[in-house]
Amino acid sequence: MTNSNEHNVYFGSNSLKKYFNPDCQPPLPLVELPEYLNPFYDDGVRIYAKMMTMHPANNVKAMPALNMLESSVDSNKTKTIIEYSSGSTVISMSMIARVIHGVQDTRAFLSNKTSDAKLKLMQFFGLDITLFGGPSQPEPVDSRGGIQSAHRMAKESDEIVNPNQYENDNNWQSHIRWTGPQIFRQLPEINVLCAGMGTSGTMTGLGTYFKGVKPSVMRLGVCTAAGDRVPGPRSYALMRPVEFPWKEAVDAIEEVGSVDSYSLSLKLCREGLVCGPSSGFNLQGLFQMLSKRKAAGTLSDLAGSGGITHCVFLCCDLPYQYISEYFQKLETEEFPPIRNERLAKVDLHRYDEAWERDALEVLPQVYASARPLEQTLLSQITLKHLHRVLDLRQAADFNTWHLPESINISLSSLGPHMRSPFSDSAVLESQWVELEQIFRNERLVSDLGLHHVLVVCYSGDTARVATSVLRAKGINADSVRGGHHALRMHGIGRKMSVTAECSTSKIPIATAVSVSTVPP
């Protein structure tokens, strides 16, 4: 297996086809774990991650998908691909079917117990999904399951292809064709190879390949612990009906639980090797085997020349579709806390810098005056038609002075010396909740919806929050940047002598809201 694309560039009308073709790519990375991730480093063990995640399809199933479709798709007949798959295989098939074969219709048959994240991921990649009840990992020969349903459907039409990863020898032979030769070319010193077993295709292909090119390599297969579940691999009991020659391709089997799998995957991700739970699963299986060998005094039997044992495990897919499961499987202490988490449920609406206006810019749009506002008594300016001014300050401060014809909606959560809602999460939470409650009033919102609304407060920050709430309700609202502090700094209101008179005639509003206006 050779290619001359050392610069990893893909040109021309067939660029995508070349990009997906391993024969046109440099080999996928093989990365040694640093000493702090390798508990057997001082025992002469070197561990390498084969990053199958770096294929364009981002998972180990891309190789089988390529090989199976190449041998089964007829470009003159095939219109639809159908596969029973929990995720990676059929997602890879959908991309490869489009890119390599021009087939647009790929359909996924899968368990009704599939996570919502996986279902959305498949929809994202354009897959037509059909769910099936029963076991999440049905036996391939079970006529009641989705595997055989896909097989039967393909028999009914020459336009439908069911590659059937569970029985198709091109599944495991893809790793003889590509993955095995890549690893051997990258690390001819290899002594141990470790891979998980689901369809068993990966382990069957790699184990068969290394039995031929370097029989001394120990081939370790990893199955899920009985009664546990890791996405992708199967328990040893479920391997019984698999017809691939996997038994001849492995020398030892380890069983691994989900907690260790997710924990090691998390650790690898945080150290820069981004990979999913089945990758942690493979590494944990390797750790278990090495630990047993060390305890039995036979670890050195695996070593090659120089007394070093070179081990390769496969990183199979990415973690993102399993994020919620990491939080379900692992202890809370594994994850940093979210500070100000209370804000996740409040302040949910959009902000826009254009809605926060300088006083000297916005007031001339709201008020009519013969002279510049800063040179005019507030008693000499009038509110323009179809405008409202909402003042959120406490009633006592509002009554001391305010913009003409303002409506006072006093917030109990707002005071003249209160911290900004943007520096205190508790303040923001209480103010947002109160504003949402106030602006649920249909009569109030209906009236405001007919006007351009200007919101003011002490510093401008609470008004900014209120503007976000109002805009979310479809009201054309702005706030004064800096609030009444900015108005006073500009000299607006310095000679104000009018006294507020209580009136509710300007706006229909619930009696729970304090309303004051200055008559025109």
Side-chain angles (χ1 to χ4, degrees), residues 180-465:
Q182 276 193 17
I183 293 172
F184 190 50
R185 182 154 56 97
Q186 291 170 308
L187 190 71
E189 306 92 334
I190 183 173
N191 307 112
V192 177
L193 176 76
C194 176
M197 300 178 71
T199 64
S200 80
T202 304
M203 192 67 242
T204 299
L206 290 173
T208 302
Y209 174 79
F210 279 101
K211 184 177 181 179
V213 300
K214 191 175 182 180
S216 63
V217 172
M218 179 189 177
R219 303 160 303 168
L220 175 64
V222 189
C223 294
T224 52
D228 208 342
R229 179 84 171 89
V230 176
R234 291 173 171 242
S235 67
Y236 186 75
L238 287 175
M239 293 301 300
R240 177 182 54 80
V242 176
E243 297 183 359
F244 294 159
W246 60 269
K247 291 181 180 179
E248 293 77 31
V250 296
D251 301 306
I253 289 177
E254 287 290 336
E255 294 181 315
V256 170
S258 58
V259 173
D260 288 331
S261 303
Y262 281 87
S263 180
L264 265 181
S265 166
L266 181 70
K267 190 171 185 179
L268 290 172
C269 287
R270 289 176 174 176
E271 296 297 334
L273 291 173
V274 181
C275 57
S278 61
S279 307
F281 172 85
N282 292 339
L283 182 56
Q284 177 63 23
L286 178 60
F287 282 173
Q288 288 176 192
M289 183 276 291
L290 294 173
S291 182
K292 291 174 183 176
R293 286 268 187 166
K294 183 176 179 178
T298 59
L299 182 56
S300 61
D301 294 348
L302 299 173
S305 59
I308 300 297
T309 303
H310 297 278
C311 306
V312 174
F313 75 98
L314 267 65
C315 285
C316 302
D317 63 1
L318 296 172
Y320 306 113
Q321 68 200 68
Y322 310 109
I323 292 298
S324 63
E325 295 173 40
Y326 284 86
F327 286 84
Q328 294 167 9
K329 294 286 184 180
L330 303 180
E331 297 294 330
T332 303
E333 291 73 21
E334 292 279 2
F335 305 97
I338 299 176
R339 305 187 192 283
N340 295 339
E341 190 171 7
R342 65 203 308 163
L343 296 187
K345 297 180 180 180
V346 301
D347 193 32
L348 303 178
H349 308 310
R350 177 176 167 243
Y351 285 82
D352 193 312
E353 291 299 315
W355 304 338
E356 191 177 23
R357 312 282 295 278
D358 288 331
L360 296 184
E361 169 198 1
V362 70
L363 289 183
Q365 299 174 21
V366 176
Y367 285 98
S369 172
R371 293 184 296 173
L373 282 173
E374 64 270 27
Q375 301 174 15
T376 306
L377 294 176
L378 288 187
S379 58
Q380 297 172 339
I381 65 176
T382 58
L383 191 64
K384 290 182 179 179
H385 182 55
L386 295 180
H387 287 78
R388 292 284 191 209
V389 178
L390 301 185
D391 192 318
L392 306 180
R393 296 175 301 153
Q394 293 298 304
D397 297 314
F398 175 82
N399 289 332
T400 300
W401 76 277
H402 55 261
L403 292 171
E405 302 180 73
S406 301
I407 301 167
N408 183 213
I409 301 180
S410 299
L411 296 188
S412 62
S413 55
L414 175 65
H417 305 297
M418 187 167 287
R419 296 184 66 188
S420 165
F422 301 112
S423 63
D424 190 321
S425 61
V427 171
L428 178 54
E429 180 183 27
S430 61
Q431 290 186 357
W432 189 84
V433 169
E434 186 175 1
L435 286 163
E436 278 287 326
Q437 183 175 0
I438 290 171
F439 294 124
R440 280 200 195 102
N441 185 299
E442 293 182 5
R443 295 176 63 204
L444 171 60
V445 170
S446 176
D447 178 85
L448 294 178
L450 302 174
H451 300 79
H452 173 262
V453 177
L454 184 65
V455 189
V456 292
C457 66
Y458 294 101
S459 68
D461 288 350
T462 301
R464 186 185 184 209
V465 179

Side-chain angles (χ1 to χ4, degrees), residues 465-486:
V465 179
T467 298
S468 172
V469 174
L470 288 167
R471 287 275 183 170
K473 298 182 183 300
I475 295 170
N476 183 19
D478 295 307
S479 65
V480 174
R481 182 182 286 108
H484 274 266
H485 299 325

